[in-house]
């Protein structure tokens, strides 16, 4: 999910280069069309849908049931909405949890059914704010919830050789942060141990490792 975003498009490209067949899900029709055109590959299937749409699971199921094997799921799409705990609206809270936590659960529930015969790997993308907190309570809470979802999924599905891991990149360059001033980017980057922001390719390589057999005993 989030295939047409900064990290998502980079990951799709890397996976295609490594021989995967990729289903890219995103709600942004224009960016998804650009991605289709840039890849121009029969191994890339795009699915334009709002993640909170009641038909998303059904549409994805229709795509997957025609595949001989389903190996991976990457829950990357997320939104950063709302305000601090004193000022957040019910709508922003519910929308954040719906996209950032409920959708990953629903897609995990669906895709894992296709993996039970051959195993597979599920990767959830979180954020350090799920551990340390931030101003936006809904974003932090939803990302913290991903940790519980990941650990329980790993525990529930290990018997089927399905692995589930949580990747927590630091502050990174994405469409979500594209409006940051150069001063803010430098300030946030300087707070990391390496003194800079994470790149989309670095995230993509981490995800690709967790999807691959090179991480065959890593789960939870």
């Amino acid at each position: 999910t989030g295939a047409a975003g900064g990290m998502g498009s980079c990951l799709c490209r890397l996976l295609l280069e490594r021989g995967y067949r990729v289903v890219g899900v995103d709600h942004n029709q224009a960016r998804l069309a650009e991605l289709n055109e840039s890849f121009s590959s029969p191994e890339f299937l795009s699915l334009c849908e709002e993640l909170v749409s009641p038909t998303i699971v059904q549409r994805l199921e229709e795509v997957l049931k025609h595949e001989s094997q389903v190996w991976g799921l990457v829950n990357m799409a997320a939104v950063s909405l709302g305000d601090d705990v004193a000022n957040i609206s019910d709508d922003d809270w519910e929308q954040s949890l719906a996209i950032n936590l409920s959708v990953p659960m629903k897609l995990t529930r669906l895709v894992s059914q296709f993996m039970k015969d051959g195993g597979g790997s599920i990767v959830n993308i979180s954020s350090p704010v799920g551990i340390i907190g931030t101003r936006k309570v809904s974003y932090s809470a939803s990302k913290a919830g991903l940790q519980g979802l990941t650990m329980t999924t790993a525990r529930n599905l290990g018997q089927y050789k399905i692995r589930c891991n949580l990747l927590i990149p630091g502050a990174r360059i994405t469409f979500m942060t594209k409006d940051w001033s150069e001063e803010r980017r430098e300030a946030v980057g300087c707070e990391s141990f390496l003194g800079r922001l994470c790149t989309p390719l670095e995230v993509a390589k981490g995800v690709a490792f967790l999807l691959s057999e090179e991480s065959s005993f890593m789960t939870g």
Side-chain angles (χ1 to χ4, degrees), residues 5-137:
M7 293 192 302
S9 58
C10 189
L11 175 61
C12 289
R13 186 178 301 278
L14 183 64
L15 294 179
L16 288 169
E17 290 172 356
R18 296 189 178 187
Y20 288 85
R21 181 169 170 83
V22 179
V23 180
V25 182
D26 203 285
H27 72 107
N28 191 309
Q29 187 171 5
R31 289 210 307 251
L32 205 54
E34 289 176 8
L35 206 61
N36 258 323
E37 187 174 347
S38 69
F39 292 155
S40 188
S41 169
E43 299 306 307
F44 180 72
L45 308 175
S46 63
L47 179 59
C48 187
E49 186 75 82
E50 292 286 348
L51 288 181
V52 292
S53 166
T55 62
I56 179 65
V57 172
Q58 181 182 353
R59 288 195 63 195
L60 186 56
E61 184 176 17
E62 283 296 315
V63 172
L64 296 181
K65 72 181 184 181
H66 297 295
E67 300 296 328
S68 59
Q69 180 186 21
V70 176
W71 174 256
L73 168 66
V74 182
N75 286 305
M76 182 174 281
V79 293
S80 178
L81 299 172
D83 209 326
D84 61 30
V85 71
N87 297 293
I88 188 168
S89 69
D90 287 349
D91 285 346
D92 283 344
W93 172 265
E94 289 160 9
Q95 183 83 341
S96 295
L97 265 67
I99 293 175
N100 297 353
L101 186 56
S102 294
V103 168
M105 183 282 293
K106 292 176 182 179
L107 297 188
T108 294
R109 184 173 60 191
L110 168 68
V111 176
S112 64
Q113 298 305 310
F114 290 90
M115 294 178 170
K116 283 187 174 179
D117 290 336
S121 177
I122 298 167
V123 183
N124 295 322
I125 309 298
S126 188
S127 166
V129 303
I131 300 170
I132 64 174
T134 188
R135 185 179 66 84
K136 293 182 179 178
V137 62

Side-chain angles (χ1 to χ4, degrees), residues 142-216:
S142 61
K143 289 300 187 179
L146 272 181
Q147 182 171 350
L149 175 64
T150 299
M151 294 298 291
T152 304
T153 298
R155 183 180 293 273
N156 290 170
L157 301 181
Q159 61 183 310
Y160 303 109
K161 297 182 174 61
I162 300 172
R163 299 182 293 111
C164 188
N165 288 289
L166 189 73
L167 185 68
I168 308 179
R172 52 207 180 271
I173 303 166
T174 68
F175 283 111
M176 197 181 290
T177 60
K178 68 179 181 179
D179 295 330
W180 287 6
S181 67
E182 192 60 36
E183 291 77 11
R184 186 181 179 192
R185 287 191 179 203
E186 289 181 5
V188 172
C190 285
E191 292 178 0
S192 78
F193 293 154
L194 295 178
R196 63 174 177 81
L197 295 175
C198 182
T199 70
L201 182 57
E202 287 170 321
V203 177
K205 287 179 177 178
V207 174
F209 168 72
L210 291 173
L211 286 175
S212 76
E213 288 284 15
E214 292 183 356
S215 58
S216 58

